[in-house]
Amino acid sequence: MSFLDTLTFIPDWPVLVQFAIATFILSITPGPDMTLFVGRALSEGRAAGFACLAGASSGIVIHTTMVAIGLSALIIASPSAFWVLKVVGAGYLVFLAVQALRKGSAFSPEKGSGKKHTMFQNWATGLGINLLNPKIILFNMTFLPQFVSAHDPHAPGKLFFLGLSFIPLSLPVVVPMILAADKFAGLLKKNPTVTRWVDYIFAGVFSVFALKILLAEGK
């Protein structure tokens, strides 16, 4: 048995690649978190943007822990109920795809108000934006299960691993956005076509994942 074989909490490579692709698409899609990061970087400097990013990342750790524990308990208690959650999750992913096509992504970075926040305040703002967003909990509860099997004895560890890996996987996308906040914001504002293509990609990727889980469970 190799060392890698002992790391039972790490999913197979195909699953990791699929999750990385989905994380990339989600990371480049404008939302409340991105608006905060770029907005603070524009109004108060890059350090403020990174402090907000650190706060949001702390929120992801908390969300992942709560969701993974809940899903793990559900797997142990009833694999059938976990399967139902996956099917409901597929429906939710389709809903997100339709919403992206119908309404698109909103991006309105805040204007400089002259008032500077401390690094702790920026961190707390990022944490609050993340924790107080009910969609994040719902998304994690329906998204993470797509990448594990209810019959996998190592599913709890894999849920934790995938949830936490969202942070390092998203950094190569988010960090450049903060470093070049002015150019990034200008690109989206002056070229709405770019944002629209992001919406199409977002809708396509999550529609594929929804179809994948429905076909897999139907076999």
Side-chain angles (χ1 to χ4, degrees):
M1 178 182 294
S2 66
F3 173 72
L4 292 178
D5 292 331
T6 65
L7 302 179
T8 56
F9 59 88
I10 299 181
D12 296 333
W13 276 109
V15 174
L16 288 176
V17 171
Q18 292 175 23
F19 186 79
I21 292 174
T23 297
F24 174 78
I25 298 301
L26 187 61
S27 297
I28 65 175
T29 304
D33 286 359
M34 183 190 296
T35 298
L36 176 65
F37 305 155
V38 176
R40 286 293 169 88
L42 285 172
S43 62
E44 300 184 24
R46 295 172 179 173
F50 283 119
C52 291
L53 171 60
S57 297
S58 300
I60 291 176
V61 173
I62 296 174
H63 275 304
T64 297
T65 300
M66 294 174 59
V67 170
I69 289 176
L71 293 177
S72 299
L74 183 60
I75 293 173
I76 295 174
S78 175
S80 298
F82 185 68
W83 172 80
V84 172
L85 178 62
K86 294 183 74 169
V87 174
V88 172
Y92 180 62
L93 293 179
V94 172
F95 170 76
L96 290 178
V98 173
Q99 289 294 97
L101 293 178
R102 289 184 58 194
K103 300 182 178 181
S105 303
F107 184 78
S108 302
E110 60 187 44
K111 304 293 183 180
S113 60
K115 178 182 178 181
K116 298 292 184 179
H117 300 81
T118 66
M119 289 299 102
F120 176 77
Q121 288 175 328
N122 284 318
W123 175 86
T125 301
L127 176 65
I129 287 290
N130 193 274
L131 290 181
L132 297 177
N133 188 349
K135 289 184 178 181
I136 293 180
I137 295 179
L138 181 58
F139 183 79
N140 281 332
M141 287 189 65
T142 57
F143 182 65
L144 286 181
Q146 314 303 315
F147 299 92
V148 298
S149 169
H151 305 290
D152 188 340
H154 307 298
K158 291 179 179 179
L159 286 170
F160 273 108
F161 180 84
L162 289 173
L164 294 180
S165 66
F166 180 87
I167 297 175
L169 286 173
S170 63
L171 289 181
V173 176
V174 180
V175 169
M177 290 179 181
I178 295 176
L179 292 176
D182 53 343
K183 295 181 180 179
F184 174 69
L187 173 65
L188 292 184
K189 284 182 173 296
K190 296 179 181 179
N191 299 277
T193 301
V194 174
T195 305
R196 194 55 180 159
W197 271 107
V198 170
D199 293 331
Y200 284 131
I201 296 173
F202 178 89
V205 168
F206 287 106
S207 294
V208 169
F209 278 119
L211 180 62
K212 173 179 175 294
I213 188 59
L214 290 175
L215 292 178
E217 297 295 352
K219 294 181 180 179

